[in-house]
Each structure stands twice: as structure tokens, then as C-alpha cells.
Amino acid sequence: MELIQHLELGLSVALAAENILYCFLGVLMGTLIGVLPGIGPVATIALLLPITYGVPPESALVLLAGIYYGAQYGGSTTAILLSLPGESSAAVTVLDGYQMAQQGRAGAALATAALGSFFAGTVATFVIALASPPLTKLAMSFGAAEYFSLMVLGLLGAVSLASGSVLRAITMAVLGILLGLVGQDVYTGVTRMTMDIPELMDGVSFSALAMGIFGLGEVVRNLRSPEDRTVTKSSIGRLMLSWQEIKQIAMPVVRGTGIGSVLGVLPGGGSLLSSFVSYTTERKMAKDPSRFGKGAIEGVAGPESANNAGAQTSFIPMLTLGIPSNPVMAMMIGALIIQGITPGPNVINERPELFWGVIASMWLGNLMLVVLNLPLIGVWVRLLTVPYRFLFPAIVGFCCIGVFSVTNSGFGLYVLLVAFIFGFIVWELDCEPAPLLLGFLLGPMLEENFRRAMLLAHGEIGTFVVRPISAGILLVAVVMILIVALPNVRKSRNEVFVE
Amino acid sequence: MKRLIASVAAVATLLLPSLASADEWPSRPPTIIVPYSAGGSSDTMARAVAQFLSEKLGQQFIIENRGGAGGSIGASAAAKAEPDGYTFLFAPTGVAVINKMVYGNLDYDFEEAFVPVIRLNKSAMVFVANPDAEASTFAEFVAAARAEPGQLNVGIPGIGSTPHMLLAETARRLDLKVNVIPYKGGGPLSNDLVAGQLMYGVDGLQGYTSQLSSGTLKALAVGTEDRMSLFPDVPALNETGVEEFADFGTSGLQSIWAPAGTPDEIIAKMNGAINEYLDGEAGKKLLTSMAMDPVGGSPEDLTKAVDSLTALWGPVVEQLNIRKD
């Protein structure tokens, strides 16, 4: 068994004393920056890059990789406890995770996130070891047309993210797309909807938008109804999962891992989609979809597993082809090049100890994360017993520091304020913001890929159905519309009439 | 009396930076503003230089990332900073040369707001192709574009980027028509090139070192005066045999500037220290591995380089009619 030999080699590298230390440092730092909103893995890795010049390449990569997937673990903590999604992938976790915390099940939600991520991380490690070549091929067959179709599918899912009226969900998704289009047009360089504000040329900041709508919006809603908070305070609930809950999350975790493993490989925002897709899937599979958005444990288990699996399989294009699937991977390529190693197809043969060492360290890192995070749950949950009058200024402070740290300028704070006021109005109108965020993230990609596909095909609109993968995805989208729409048409018509 | 002492102290504090002589500089941590968010090649370069300066000059040099609007937000912040030798601006070609041509609403005039400190390096633009592409040389690329006017897809990392301008200049000199496909930066472009979604692209060489060394992409030519030391086999445009480019050669740069009015002694000290870094082993190794050959030299050399780039790209920007405001 070649694989066993390879993994043995990998483990011998990963278990070297100094690499264990680097791995631990990486995941610890990753967890911390994940917990703090704003500062992301890219900025952290950029800061630490000069330190890695002096250490062996294996250790450098083990450290940087640890920061990256550690941040995926940490990101869910504030999303669940405080409705603060620090990273875009944690935005979905807010929906049900925060509701669980409100019902005194914060411990269960955090444990679900940690265990789901651990399972996903373990499986994804084996996926990288076993299935890198075919997955690389899949990633390479995705061009602009395929991404466009994928985004169409993703946006359709946006509608099902909301638990209320379909009309409102569509309105919010469209609003999100429009917000996402603020800034410079990729194809002409012309700026759109920036009101002559140079800071808006690169678009509206996601973290400011998400923190304003979810984080600060939640603060105000809590302050308006103080009695809700006291309920949470008195009933912390158990910290671990019951057997019943473990059975409930088992399949969502498995499905989320599958979805994340495949979508994570796609360089153009695939890993971003994975948590949304997983959430939509779980809702569709559930016997009672109305529980979602009100503290359904499956709504935490699926997306958390998906984003962790996706984070890990996004290493595949970098390890096999040397192409950066996201800014974090670009930094890792930079770190390796400075070490004199060229990431690409030859690494696996020329530097097997590096390739397999990093893979083995991923599994080890995931183990460390679960060991690190499970005992921490008790500490985190106790945070909720802090009287809200002390907690909410801290939340506001964290939001502001987080947003400021992204651009080092005060402008982000204005965006935060506007997003907060806007989010407040939207909540008051009973429109849910989740479709808005998805529209905001996917809308610009939808446009960019549509226009690129058209350019590449010299204006031939048929390109979307001639290319088999694109056609397949569009077909799924059509089927999804039919399934969702047919029984709903009459219902929503009635709703419109009632209004 | 108390008030008098207080105001004297206040005035003294205000005067302190300008009174401090170059001998004492730096007496507190200077800041280098990088007008991009953390993580890009500018950021990596700036952090490496800052680390060297911190050790050499005995004060921590701080990197402040102020991204946005193609670097003009960070440049604007640096332009407004006190010229006391404690704020510097890191400027690649886009910030030092191109922005003044494409942004109509800048609140600073680069030439008036900044004085040069040093040119760090020269970088190359490269014509790259998928290994399965028909053309393997620049001349073959030109022939392929001629064979089907307006049909050949060529990717660029953004409207108004220097690779965009090089492609436009190529089209003008050779009277070619290609189908220009803009991307949002070099990362997605290189992904599509490796995957074969399109066959040709023009981009900065520094983003392609791994793909070119491992053979997942091939290089047709670099736009520089001479070949780059990391890829001695890749010809410069002026030696590809395409006549119209026989006299051609341009290289990008990364440079450091100070707000106008910064004392000359401080600039000289900074220039000397960075020259030492660029001449040293560590600097050479880092820059070469990033495919950016070290340059260094005097502040005047930087001005000359910027002037010649302005003269080269000015007409191209005008012809393309790029406006970003």
C-alpha cells in the first residue's frame, strides 16, 4: 500500500517535535483571529511571512496552514454566541447557531461546530491524499460559464435561506446583488454607485456589512427586549451533545463534508458557496423545514462541516498545480517560492516529505483544534452569563476594532453605521438579511463570470448550454425552481392577494 | 506660570520633529504606508525591507496597509503626513506612474507631494500561454492573432493595469486586433490560463514564477530591456525578431517615497540603508526568487525611471481612454 507509506512519511514529518509546535502555534493563532471579527487569516499570514523565511519549508507551511483552518474553527464561536460573523463563511452559522444560543443550547451548538469540523477535516485530509488528481481535473474544467451557472444555482438557494415570504427573500437577494455591484466595473474600469467616494471604489466591505446587520442589529434588538436575555442567562444548558443530538447531526455532517470537499476545490469562490449550499440542502432534506432559522442543530452541523472541508480541499489546486485558489493560497505559494520551492505538479515527487508532511499535519491540526476547542466551550458559554450591560459595549467595541483593522481607516466605521441602520429597518420590516448577504457575495461573481463567459465565447449566449457541466448545473437549477415553485405558486399568489 | 510652562512644552513638542537632526533619526518607529491590503507582492516586499531597516537603524519600521482605489487612498494619506522622516510611501508603478493618468479626482499631485527615496527593483511583464497553445514564441503569437483578427482571447489582470497597456501598445505597433479579457487581478487569470479556459495572457512575471518553473504555463517573452535573471531562457520582446519591438523595453518598479519637505539627510540615510539591503545576499535572494531584480541607486535614478515610464504609458492611456472616477 503506497498510500500507507506516504502517510507514514507524512506523519514522521508532522510528528517531529518542532513541527508539532508550529502546528499548535498555527491553530492556536488561527482560532484567536477567527474569534476576533475583522482580522482575517490573510492579514495574519502576511504579518508572519517574514518569520517563516528562517524555518524549514515544511514547518513554514504547517504553521501557515494551521492559521488558515484554525480560523475556520474560531469564526463560528462569535457567530454562535454573539451573532457576529467575523468571516463570510460564518454568516450562515449565525442563522441557527445564534438561535440555539438564545435557547440555552450554546454549548451544543459550539460542540456541533467543533465535532463537525473535526470530522470534515479528517475526511478532507483523506480526500486530498486520495483524490487530488481527479478533483484537480474537475477544478480545471470550471470556466466562466460553469461559474455563472453555479452562481445561478447558489442564488436560487438564497431564496430558500429565508423562512418567511418568498417575495421578501427575492427582494433582499436583489438588494444584496445591487450592493455587491458598488465599485469599479472589472470590464471597463468605470465606477458604479460610488457617489464619488474613493473608498467605495473597491466595493462595500463584507465584514462591515455583516457586522452592522447581524452583530450591531442584534445588540439593539436585545436592548429593546431585556427579558429575552435573562432567559438565556439562567439556562446555560448542557455543554455536550446528547445521543439524540448526535444522531441528528450525523447525516448533515456527512453531507456537508461531501459538499465542502467538492466545492472547496473550485478556485472561484467555491468554498464560499459550500456553507450556503449545505444549509440549503439540509433545509430541503428536513422533515420540518420551518425549524430552520429557529435553532435547528442541522443548520449548524452541515455548514460548519462544509466550510471546514472546503477550506482544506482548497489546498488541492495549490499543491497539485501551484495555482492560488484564494488569497491565502497565494500567500502560501509566495512563502514556498521564497524558500526556493516551486509549488506545482513536481512537488509531490521532488519533495514528498513536504507534500505528505503538510497533509498529515492537517489531520494533526484538526485533532489539536478539537482538543483545544471542546474544553474552551465551557469558557465561551460562560461569556453569556456576563450581564448584557457589560457585554454589549464590548460587542460594539469589537465590531468597530474589527472593521477598522481591515482597512486601517475610519471609513469602514461609517459603512458599519449605515449597515446597522439599514439592517435595523430591514428587520423591522420582517425581511431576513441572509438572502441579502448571499446576494451581496454571489451577485458580483455572477456578473463577472457572465460577462467573461460571453467575452470568451465572442458573444455566443449558447455557451452556457453547450458546455456540458454548465448545462448540467443549469438543469439542476431549473428542476429546483420547479420543485420549489409548483406547490408554492398558488400559496404565494394568495399571500399577495392578502397583502 | 503653569500655563506658560504648559504652552512652552506644547510648542516644544510641536517643534521637536523638525528640530531633531538626521543624526538622531530615527528616534521613534517610522511608518511605511503600503497602499494595498496585506498579502500582495507589494506587501511582501515592503515587509522584507522594513525588517531589514528595523535591524539596521535600530527602530521598528511599521508597515501600515491602507488599501483602496488602486493605491490612491494610501498615497493620499501619505501625502498629507508630516514630512518629518517618520512616514514613507511604498509605491509600485501603478501608484507612482499610472494613477495620475487614470484618476481624475486625486486630492494630491504625486510629483509635488512626494520626493523620491529609492527604486527597489525592476519587474517584468510577460506574455504567457497555456502549454497546449499553438504559439510558443512571441512571433507565433502575433501570427496567431493575425490569422483571425479580433478572435484570439488574451487575458489581462485588470483595465488600466500596465499589462493592459502593454497589450494595447502591442496591438497598436503591430496593427493587431485581439479579444481582450479583463480579470480581477492576476490570481484568477493564472487559474484560467492553467486550466486552458483561454490560451494567452499578459501579466506581471512575479505572479507566474511557480507556473513557469513547473511547466504548467509557458512564457513567450518578457517586456523588459533585458532578460530576467530568474528566467534566462525567456527572451525579451526586443530579441524576438518582431521588428516593431526591436527598440522596445520597459520594466515596472517598486519604490519608496517620502512626503515633500522631508529632510534630505534622512532621505540619504534611508537610501543608503536600502541600497545596502539590495546589495546584500538576503535582499538579492528574496528579490530574485520573486522575479524582481534588485535595482537601488540614487533618488534621482528613481525620478528618471518614473519620468520615462510616464512618457511611455501616457499616450497609451490616452488612446485607451481609461478614466476611473
Side-chain angles (χ1 to χ4, degrees):
Chain A
M1 274 299 281
E2 213 183 346
L3 179 71
I4 294 181
Q5 281 174 7
H6 285 150
L7 287 179
E8 220 173 294
L9 170 69
L11 278 175
S12 72
V13 175
L15 290 176
E18 51 166 9
N19 287 343
I20 291 184
L21 187 69
Y22 280 118
C23 187
F24 179 73
L25 267 178
V27 297
L28 182 67
M29 248 183 301
T31 308
L32 291 179
I33 58 151
V35 170
L36 294 171
I39 299 174
V42 180
T44 313
I45 293 176
L47 281 169
L48 290 177
L49 210 52
I51 299 173
T52 67
Y53 299 161
V55 304
E58 300 84 70
S59 309
L61 213 55
V62 163
L63 173 77
L64 299 181
I67 294 174
Y68 178 50
Y69 53 78
Q72 312 289 328
Y73 264 73
S76 54
T77 308
T78 46
I80 290 170
L81 294 177
L82 305 172
S83 177
L84 266 185
E87 306 275 322
S88 46
S89 57
V92 186
T93 311
V94 172
L95 301 178
D96 280 286
Y98 184 66
Q99 290 304 321
M100 283 182 74
Q102 292 294 83
Q103 295 157 11
R105 294 164 70 205
L110 289 169
T112 302
L115 292 173
S117 299
F118 175 63
F119 177 82
T122 308
V123 173
T125 303
F126 281 97
V127 169
I128 298 177
L130 289 168
S132 281
L135 283 173
T136 307
K137 239 187 211 144
L138 173 79
M140 299 218 344
S141 58
F142 262 69
E146 285 76 17
Y147 280 114
F148 167 76
S149 304
L150 192 64
M151 298 304 151
V152 169
L153 188 64
L155 273 173
L156 284 176
V159 177
S160 63
L161 276 178
S163 40
S165 116
V166 173
L167 185 69
R168 285 187 177 138
I170 293 175
T171 312
M172 294 306 285
V174 170
L175 209 57
I177 293 175
L178 287 175
L179 271 175
L181 293 181
V182 171
Q184 213 171 69
D185 172 32
V186 180
Y187 294 91
T188 57
V190 170
T191 53
R192 302 186 291 200
M193 301 189 277
T194 58
M195 299 173 286
D196 276 336
I197 300 169
E199 280 86 352
L200 283 179
M201 281 186 67
D202 301 307
V204 177
S205 139
F206 174 82
S207 42
L209 190 69
M211 282 191 236
I213 292 179
F214 282 115
L216 294 185
E218 193 52 37
V219 168
V220 170
R221 258 171 301 139
N222 277 324
L223 290 176
R224 287 208 310 179
S225 48
E227 65 275 16
D228 289 354
R229 293 294 313 179
T230 42
V231 177
T232 314
K233 211 173 128 183
S234 59
S235 56
I236 287 289
R238 279 174 310 115
L239 298 183
M240 273 319 293
L241 296 166
S242 68
W243 182 238
Q244 175 64 25
E245 284 168 326
I246 290 177
K247 274 196 283 187
Q248 253 180 318
I249 66 167
M251 282 322 284
V253 166
V254 171
R255 282 191 290 265
T257 304
I259 290 168
S261 298
V262 174
L263 288 179
V265 182
L266 304 177
S271 52
L272 187 72
L273 260 180
S274 63
S275 49
F276 285 103
V277 171
S278 163
Y279 189 85
T280 313
T281 312
E282 289 318 318
R283 230 182 112 142
K284 284 270 160 288
M285 309 276 293
K287 285 200 190 83
D288 177 17
S290 65
R291 287 192 303 118
F292 280 76
K294 293 173 193 137
I297 198 167
E298 299 93 326
V300 176
E304 276 300 310
S305 314
N307 83 46
N308 207 53
Q312 225 140 307
T313 54
S314 66
F315 277 81
I316 290 180
M318 192 270 276
L319 289 171
T320 58
L321 290 171
I323 57 179
S325 52
N326 59 38
V328 173
M329 292 304 136
M331 310 267 321
M332 299 215 188
I333 291 177
L336 284 178
I337 285 176
I338 286 164
Q339 297 265 4
I341 292 171
T342 306
N346 305 328
V347 169
I348 189 165
N349 297 324
E350 284 169 12
R351 305 291 296 254
E353 77 288 354
L354 176 76
F355 186 87
W356 296 104
V358 170
I359 290 178
S361 89
M362 285 179 185
W363 183 77
L364 196 68
N366 272 291
L367 188 67
M368 286 183 190
L369 277 167
V370 96
V371 173
L372 193 72
N373 275 281
L374 285 180
L376 273 180
I377 291 176
V379 182
W380 292 128
V381 169
R382 215 161 297 148
L383 199 64
L384 291 177
T385 60
V386 174
Y388 204 60
R389 62 178 187 281
F390 297 129
L391 195 56
F392 90 82
I395 296 175
V396 175
F398 270 133
C399 282
C400 294
I401 294 169
V403 166
F404 185 87
S405 69
V406 174
T407 52
N408 275 324
S409 83
F411 184 76
L413 298 179
Y414 295 122
V415 179
L416 182 72
L417 184 68
V418 173
F420 154 63
I421 296 169
F422 171 78
F424 183 73
I425 296 171
V426 159
W427 276 113
E428 288 297 294
L429 295 174
D430 265 339
C431 296
E432 287 161 77
L436 177 115
L437 283 188
L438 190 62
F440 178 80
L441 291 170
L442 301 189
M445 289 197 250
L446 183 87
E447 189 218 8
E448 192 186 329
N449 285 299
F450 175 74
R451 290 171 70 186
R452 185 170 302 133
M454 294 301 285
L455 268 177
L456 285 167
H458 307 288
E460 202 64 59
I461 189 104
T463 181
F464 298 107
V465 288
V466 171
R467 298 172 66 114
I469 296 181
S470 168
I473 299 173
L474 285 178
L475 197 69
V476 175
V478 171
V479 171
M480 200 165 128
I481 295 177
L482 289 179
I483 293 175
V484 176
L486 283 182
N488 273 348
V489 170
R490 223 166 299 140
K491 219 198 303 174
S492 56
R493 265 217 200 115
N494 290 345
E495 262 172 37
V496 173
F497 280 125
V498 170
E499 276 165 20
Chain B
M1 188 62 196
K2 243 185 203 165
R3 196 181 285 167
L4 182 70
I5 293 173
S7 42
V8 167
V11 170
T13 334
L14 278 176
L15 288 176
L16 206 60
S18 48
L19 285 176
S21 73
D23 298 337
E24 292 157 31
W25 180 89
S27 59
R28 57 188 170 91
T31 300
I32 301 178
I33 294 182
V34 173
Y36 297 98
S37 49
S41 78
S42 285
D43 186 57
T44 308
M45 189 70 234
R47 283 181 198 279
V49 172
Q51 197 185 19
F52 176 84
L53 290 174
S54 304
E55 284 159 23
K56 169 86 189 158
L57 299 174
Q59 279 287 350
Q60 188 69 38
F61 275 66
I62 297 163
I63 296 295
E64 189 179 320
N65 297 97
R66 292 286 289 265
S72 53
I73 289 176
S76 165
K80 291 188 196 106
E82 207 61 46
D84 54 7
Y86 290 93
T87 307
F88 295 92
L89 173 71
F90 185 96
T93 318
V95 174
V97 180
I98 309 292
N99 282 359
K100 61 190 172 213
M101 306 174 189
V102 297
Y103 290 99
N105 55 354
L106 295 182
D107 62 357
Y108 62 93
D109 177 327
F110 196 91
E111 263 83 43
E112 279 176 25
F114 296 102
V115 289
V117 176
I118 191 165
R119 175 178 184 176
L120 297 168
N121 53 27
K122 69 171 193 171
S123 54
M125 283 181 275
V126 63
F127 282 80
V128 279
N130 183 281
D132 297 331
E134 207 184 314
S136 291
T137 66
F138 182 65
E140 286 169 11
F141 167 76
V142 173
R146 280 248 159 77
E148 32 172 12
Q151 296 296 301
L152 196 70
N153 293 334
V154 185
I156 53 164
I159 294 285
S161 61
T162 44
H164 179 206
M165 294 174 200
L166 177 60
L167 183 61
E169 178 67 6
T170 309
R172 186 187 70 79
R173 287 191 182 212
L174 300 170
D175 198 19
L176 285 183
K177 280 202 170 64
V178 294
N179 192 21
V180 180
I181 318 275
Y183 280 78
K184 215 172 180 173
L189 171 58
S190 73
N191 285 347
D192 267 12
L193 282 167
V194 172
Q197 300 294 339
L198 81 171
M199 287 294 164
Y200 304 98
V202 187
D203 205 343
L205 179 66
Q206 61 274 16
Y208 289 78
T209 46
S210 69
Q211 290 90 328
L212 294 177
S213 320
S214 65
T216 49
L217 288 178
K218 58 185 177 186
L220 308 181
V222 287
T224 34
E225 298 86 348
D226 311 297
R227 298 182 179 205
M228 294 296 283
S229 53
L230 189 64
F231 294 102
D233 297 333
V234 179
L237 272 180
N238 55 30
E239 42 176 358
T240 53
V242 177
E243 237 174 86
E244 290 83 347
F245 279 94
D247 61 339
F248 188 84
T250 179
S251 47
L253 52 82
Q254 289 179 328
S255 54
I256 291 181
W257 301 73
T262 304
D264 289 342
E265 302 80 40
I266 291 179
I267 289 179
K269 210 164 166 181
M270 188 84 169
N271 178 286
I274 297 177
N275 263 319
E276 190 181 316
Y277 172 69
L278 296 172
D279 284 337
E281 271 315 304
K284 267 189 192 144
K285 193 182 149 216
L286 179 86
L287 271 79
T288 313
S289 77
M290 292 170 76
M292 297 196 281
D293 292 349
V295 174
S298 69
E300 292 73 36
D301 293 338
L302 173 57
T303 314
K304 264 185 236 156
V306 166
D307 287 347
S308 81
L309 282 168
T310 307
L312 173 67
W313 297 128
V316 182
V317 169
E318 221 152 274
Q319 179 215 332
L320 286 171
N321 195 21
I322 304 165
R323 302 296 299 169
K324 300 181 177 180
D325 35 35

